[in-house]
């Protein structure tokens, strides 16, 4: 039996214990000298190889196309297909684990999860990895802690306060229960208690609440498991439990919180946004969006669904703020738009403000100035920091009449500088979230018409795809940034070239879709992309966005950096595939727009 063998590494971590034992007993070990051929070109290998020590070159003729290091597996393609076009040569003294071909094929046929590692279709491979991550994320769901559910803060009332005062406080705080202080004792008063006292028992509403309080309070600690809270609610037939920390009542956990945690509570957040009657109440609802993202990701919800939910919540938030902040002169003639990833519906973790205002005709200066300030302040209160580039309603450049925007389109095209090109990209991704959407539709059609058939303008626009290099090297290895702590930038290296390359092709075709996946689908329908490439490109974007969201949730901040050393072998392999597809799109766009001339 060959040693060492790591059964926790991909793809062997997908095998059952019995299958792992079979693999261990069947493994052999091979030693290869520098320059020795392991698999000859166009030959069928007898084994699946796993590098223990050293490195292996994959060669296409005389060209080295990839390097395999410790933990890497090869050559599944040649083994499954009965032969491969590339050769594998030991670059240095190399030790390999060898798993017989017949056993490998038998495991592939009987274990679907193990088989997914050997998919030749990149899209299927990325989908399989995502499914595995979702399954692993859902398994420890009930191991979450009470604090993860963000219980409602404890609210107190004195035993001598009246039923009317208690009802008013519940309405003000939009809560269902209050803690009642009665000397040293703490009790719980619920909305049902008030209803029964005032309506069923016809008690005077100016009577004290002390006698109504229940002093048998079921408690949990913030560090207790969610399963503990559920068990205590069931055992004591309670709809809520008190959260107690260091002897102090700090919160209330409702049964609806548990149900929301298990089933998702985006609809509750949406209701709170819709019911908000002030910027302060809107800000309280907005603070629940990020915990909702964490919950959705923990439950294994796919990235496109997360983006759709967050997009809907943010649209509701912007629309409600528009109603709260806009005077009639703005509401009657305005359209609020969001741009960037928010406009494309690809926003997850909240970033800076990226919005604008289109007016059908000029509004009174005083009203417009007040709205610019109030809308900006309201979004900042809701957790949206200022945009460093000032792409915000607050900036007069991005809050003006439709006529002024049309004039800007012509100016941006005439100047053809980087700022103008960026502005075109920003506006092309815009989506209406409040007011009259026809204003945005009209503006976009004007922009599309201005660019239609303008090959030089379109090529200058597409040229931004070369703004950042793809972080894969000559041998298909991942290139990290030393200054960034040996990290990769997912946005610059993969997300941006896919988004902008697709955006350039979509603008050329005059597409009205804003989401990148929707644009890819339409470009495939029009024959710009082969169906297979479109599917792989979509999966690559989803994978990169998912990895970015996970990095942001781990850092609790907006980031796009990941460290390859912290990824599994399969994750690194999938990341290489995603970057390779981004690179392939870049090369396609360069040829299509003849960017060598610019």
């Amino acid at each position: 039996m060959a040693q060492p063998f790591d059964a926790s590494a991909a793809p062997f971590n997908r095998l059952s214990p019995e299958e792992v034992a079979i693999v261990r007993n069947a493994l052999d070990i091979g030693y290869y000298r520098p320059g020795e051929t392991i698999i000859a070109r166009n030959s069928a290998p007898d084994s699946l190889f796993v590098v223990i020590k050293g490195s292996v070159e994959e060669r296409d003729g005389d060209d080295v196309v990839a390097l395999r290091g410790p933990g890497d597996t090869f050559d599944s393609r040649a083994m499954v297909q009965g032969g491969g076009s590339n050769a594998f040569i030991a670059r240095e003294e190399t030790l390999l684990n060898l798993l017989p071909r017949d056993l490998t094929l038998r495991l592939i046929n009987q274990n679907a999860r193990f088989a997914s590692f050997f998919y030749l279709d990149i899209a299927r491979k990325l989908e399989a990895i995502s499914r595995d991550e979702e399954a692993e994320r859902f398994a420890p769901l009930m191991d979450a802690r009470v604090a993860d559910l963000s219980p409602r803060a404890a609210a107190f009332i004195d035993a001598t306060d009246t039923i009317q005062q208690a009802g008013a406080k519940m309405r003000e705080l939009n809560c269902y229960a209050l803690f009642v202080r009665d000397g040293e004792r703490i009790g719980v008063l619920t909305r049902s208690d008030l209803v029964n006292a005032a309506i069923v028992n016809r008690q005077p509403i100016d009577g004290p609440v002390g006698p109504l309080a229940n002093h048998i309070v079921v408690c949990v600690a913030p560090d207790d498991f969610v399963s503990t809270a559920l068990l205590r609610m069931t055992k004591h037939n309670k709809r809520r439990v008190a959260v107690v920390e260091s002897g102090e009542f700090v919160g209330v956990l409702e049964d609806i919180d548990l149900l929301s945690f298990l089933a998702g509570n985006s609809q509750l957040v949406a209701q709170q946004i819709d019911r908000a009657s002030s910027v302060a109440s809107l800000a309280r609802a907005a603070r629940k969006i990020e915990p909702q993202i964490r919950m959705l990701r923990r439950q294994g919800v796919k990235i496109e669904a997360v983006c759709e939910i967050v997009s809907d919540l943010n649209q509701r938030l912007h629309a409600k703020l528009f109603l709260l902040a806009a005077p009639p002169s703005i509401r009657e003639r305005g359209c609020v738009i969001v741009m960037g990833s928010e406009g494309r519906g690809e926003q997850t973790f909240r970033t800076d403000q990226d919005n604008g205002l289109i007016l059908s005709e000029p509004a009174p200066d005083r009203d417009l100035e007040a709205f610019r300030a109030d809308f900006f302040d309201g979004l900042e209160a809701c957790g949206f920091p200022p945009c460093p580039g000032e792409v915000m309603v607050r900036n007069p450049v991005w809050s003006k009449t439709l006529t002024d925007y049309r004039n800007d389109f012509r100016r941006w095209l005439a100047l053809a500088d980087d700022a103008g090109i960026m502005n075109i990209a920003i506006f092309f991704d815009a989506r209406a979230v409040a007011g009259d959407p026809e204003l945005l539709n009209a503006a976009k059609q004007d922009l599309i018409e201005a660019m239609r058939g303008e090959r030089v303008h379109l090529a200058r626009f597409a040229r931004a795809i070369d703004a950042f290099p793809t972080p894969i090297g000559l041998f298909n290895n991942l290139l990290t940034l030393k200054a960034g702590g040996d990290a990769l930038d997912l946005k610059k290296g993969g997300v941006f070239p896919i988004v902008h390359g697709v955006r350039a092709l979509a603008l050329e075709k005059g597409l009205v879709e804003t989401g990148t996946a929707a644009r890819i689908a339409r470009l495939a329908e029009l024959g710009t992309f082969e169906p297979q490439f479109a599917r792989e490109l979509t999966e690559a974007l989803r994978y990169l966005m998912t990895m970015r969201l996970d990095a942001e949730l781990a850092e609790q901040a907006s980031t796009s950096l990941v460290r390859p050393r912290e990824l599994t072998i399969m994750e690194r392999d999938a990341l290489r595939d995603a970057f390779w597809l981004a690179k392939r799109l870049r090369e396609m766009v360069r040829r299509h727009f003849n960017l060598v001339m610019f």
Side-chain angles (χ1 to χ4, degrees):
M1 181 175 66
Q3 293 291 342
F5 169 66
D6 184 7
S8 66
F12 304 103
N13 59 346
R14 300 172 167 218
L15 299 175
S16 68
E18 294 78 14
E19 290 169 334
V20 168
I22 293 172
V23 168
R24 286 188 182 278
N25 290 327
L27 279 173
D28 198 356
I29 194 167
Y31 167 77
Y32 296 86
R33 295 182 299 276
E36 187 174 352
T37 298
I38 301 169
I39 303 177
R41 184 180 175 88
N42 295 320
S43 66
D46 294 328
S47 304
L48 179 70
F49 298 90
V50 184
V51 181
I52 302 172
K53 181 181 178 182
S55 59
V56 176
E57 296 178 352
E58 180 180 355
R59 292 184 181 177
D60 182 2
D62 294 330
D63 297 327
V64 178
V65 295
L67 281 178
R68 312 286 176 152
D72 288 339
T73 303
F74 69 94
D75 179 37
S76 56
R77 181 187 298 267
M79 188 177 60
V80 171
Q81 292 184 331
S85 58
N86 291 345
F88 290 82
I89 312 294
R91 170 172 273 205
E92 55 190 301
E93 287 189 335
T94 301
L95 286 177
L96 303 173
N97 268 322
L98 283 63
L99 184 64
R101 179 176 182 272
D102 291 345
L103 175 57
T104 305
L105 294 178
R106 189 164 78 244
L107 291 172
I108 288 173
N109 289 329
Q110 71 186 33
N111 187 321
R113 293 184 66 243
F114 183 72
S116 67
F117 179 82
F118 302 93
Y119 288 155
L120 306 183
D121 181 336
I122 293 176
R124 291 178 67 195
K125 186 184 294 184
L126 293 173
E127 286 175 341
I129 292 173
S130 297
R131 284 196 302 270
D132 284 345
E133 291 175 348
E134 289 158 11
E136 291 173 4
R137 185 170 287 105
F138 187 79
L141 185 59
M142 290 303 289
D143 290 337
R145 308 284 178 169
V146 168
D148 294 333
L149 275 65
S150 302
R152 183 183 293 272
F156 291 85
I157 193 169
D158 290 329
T160 57
D161 288 335
T162 67
I163 293 175
Q164 183 179 20
Q165 288 173 317
K169 189 160 190 175
M170 285 185 185
R171 184 173 62 251
E172 175 192 350
L173 299 178
N174 191 26
C175 67
Y176 291 89
L178 298 171
F179 289 109
V180 179
R181 294 188 187 277
D182 188 359
E184 295 296 320
R185 296 195 306 166
I186 297 291
V188 173
L189 180 72
T190 69
R191 188 173 295 185
S192 296
D193 295 330
L194 294 182
V195 171
N196 287 333
I199 298 178
V200 179
N201 299 327
R202 296 183 178 277
Q203 293 179 230
I205 62 173
D206 57 356
V209 296
L212 305 179
N214 184 352
H215 293 279
I216 301 175
V217 183
V218 179
C219 303
V220 293
D223 229 17
D224 283 341
F225 290 114
V226 168
S227 54
T228 300
L230 182 60
L231 179 62
R232 289 182 185 172
M233 281 185 184
T234 304
K235 181 178 179 180
H236 297 282
N237 193 26
K238 297 290 185 181
R239 296 188 60 185
R240 59 189 55 81
V241 290
V243 182
V244 178
E245 185 174 23
S246 303
E248 298 290 331
F249 288 81
V250 297
V252 176
L253 186 67
E254 306 268 357
D255 54 0
I256 191 67
D257 298 324
L258 283 172
L259 291 173
S260 298
F261 177 74
L262 297 173
N265 67 347
S266 58
Q267 73 281 5
L268 299 179
V269 179
Q271 290 171 11
Q272 291 174 10
I273 290 173
D274 292 342
R275 290 198 304 262
S277 58
S278 66
V279 172
S281 58
L282 187 61
R284 284 195 295 270
R287 285 193 289 271
K288 297 182 180 179
I289 295 178
E290 185 179 320
Q292 174 68 9
I293 298 171
R294 293 182 181 279
M295 184 187 307
L296 291 169
R297 189 67 190 120
R298 184 189 294 117
Q299 293 173 339
V301 177
K302 290 182 179 296
I303 188 67
E304 57 267 36
V306 174
C307 289
E308 185 175 350
I309 291 170
V310 172
S311 176
D312 177 70
L313 293 175
N314 285 344
Q315 177 168 339
R316 289 172 182 267
L317 189 150
H318 282 80
K320 173 60 72 169
L321 182 59
F322 182 64
L323 292 176
L324 293 173
S329 62
I330 302 294
R331 286 202 301 270
E332 293 166 0
R333 66 191 81 184
C335 173
V336 172
I337 59 176
V338 291
M339 295 170 278
S341 57
E342 189 74 71
R344 296 191 304 272
E346 294 162 6
Q347 183 68 52
T348 50
F349 207 83
R350 189 172 304 161
T351 57
D352 50 293
Q353 298 185 33
D354 204 345
N355 49 61
L357 173 70
I358 307 174
L359 294 168
S360 59
E361 58 185 55
D365 290 342
R366 179 178 297 179
D367 287 355
L368 184 55
E369 287 301 319
F371 173 72
R372 285 168 174 162
D374 291 345
F375 195 78
F376 169 81
D377 292 341
L379 283 178
E380 194 168 39
C382 290
F384 292 86
C387 170
E390 285 291 316
V391 182
M392 298 178 288
V393 164
R394 182 177 70 173
N395 184 354
V397 172
W398 293 99
S399 57
K400 55 196 175 188
T401 65
L402 176 58
T403 299
D404 289 335
Y405 274 107
R406 287 167 168 161
N407 292 334
D408 270 350
F409 297 159
R410 289 190 287 271
R411 183 173 58 82
W412 293 342
L413 289 171
L415 292 176
D417 57 2
D418 290 343
I421 289 171
M422 183 57 65
N423 287 341
I424 292 172
I426 291 170
F427 197 90
F428 187 57
D429 287 346
R431 177 168 56 93
V433 292
D436 183 4
E438 289 306 314
L439 291 172
L440 175 61
N441 293 338
K444 274 200 177 184
Q445 285 301 322
D446 286 344
L447 177 61
I448 290 170
E449 287 301 319
M451 295 287 283
R452 192 181 301 276
E454 296 287 346
R455 296 294 298 174
V456 172
H457 290 324
L458 287 165
R460 288 196 180 108
F461 180 80
R463 185 178 56 183
I465 200 172
D466 287 329
F468 311 107
T470 305
I472 50 176
L474 181 62
F475 303 133
N476 220 22
N477 56 311
L478 297 172
L479 302 177
T480 59
L481 302 170
K482 295 292 183 183
D486 284 328
L488 291 166
D489 193 314
L490 298 170
K491 181 179 180 180
K492 292 181 178 179
V495 175
F496 176 79
I498 293 175
V499 167
H500 188 70
V502 170
R503 179 165 50 205
L505 294 166
L507 182 57
E508 179 191 37
K509 297 293 185 181
L511 304 185
V512 296
E513 289 81 4
T514 55
T516 304
R519 287 171 175 172
I520 291 172
R522 285 286 291 123
L523 289 168
E525 290 175 8
L526 296 171
T528 303
F529 291 148
E530 292 293 329
Q532 177 65 16
F533 179 65
R535 196 162 73 92
E536 291 181 343
L537 195 62
T538 301
E539 285 302 323
L541 178 62
R542 287 172 178 163
Y543 186 71
L544 291 167
M545 289 173 60
T546 302
M547 290 199 75
R548 186 184 180 193
L549 174 57
D550 288 344
E552 289 174 326
L553 293 176
E555 295 292 330
Q556 298 188 35
S558 180
T559 183
S560 58
L561 298 179
V562 296
R563 292 169 178 81
R565 67 175 179 272
E566 298 174 358
L567 304 177
T568 66
I569 292 172
M570 287 196 70
E571 287 171 336
R572 289 198 299 270
D573 187 49
L575 196 54
R576 275 192 291 264
D577 287 339
F579 283 141
W580 178 79
L581 286 163
K583 184 176 181 180
R584 183 177 163 191
L585 175 64
R586 174 183 282 129
E587 292 167 351
M588 173 185 173
V589 170
R590 288 181 60 82
R591 290 193 304 272
H592 182 81
F593 291 105
N594 197 21
L595 297 187
V596 71
M597 301 295 295
F598 292 86

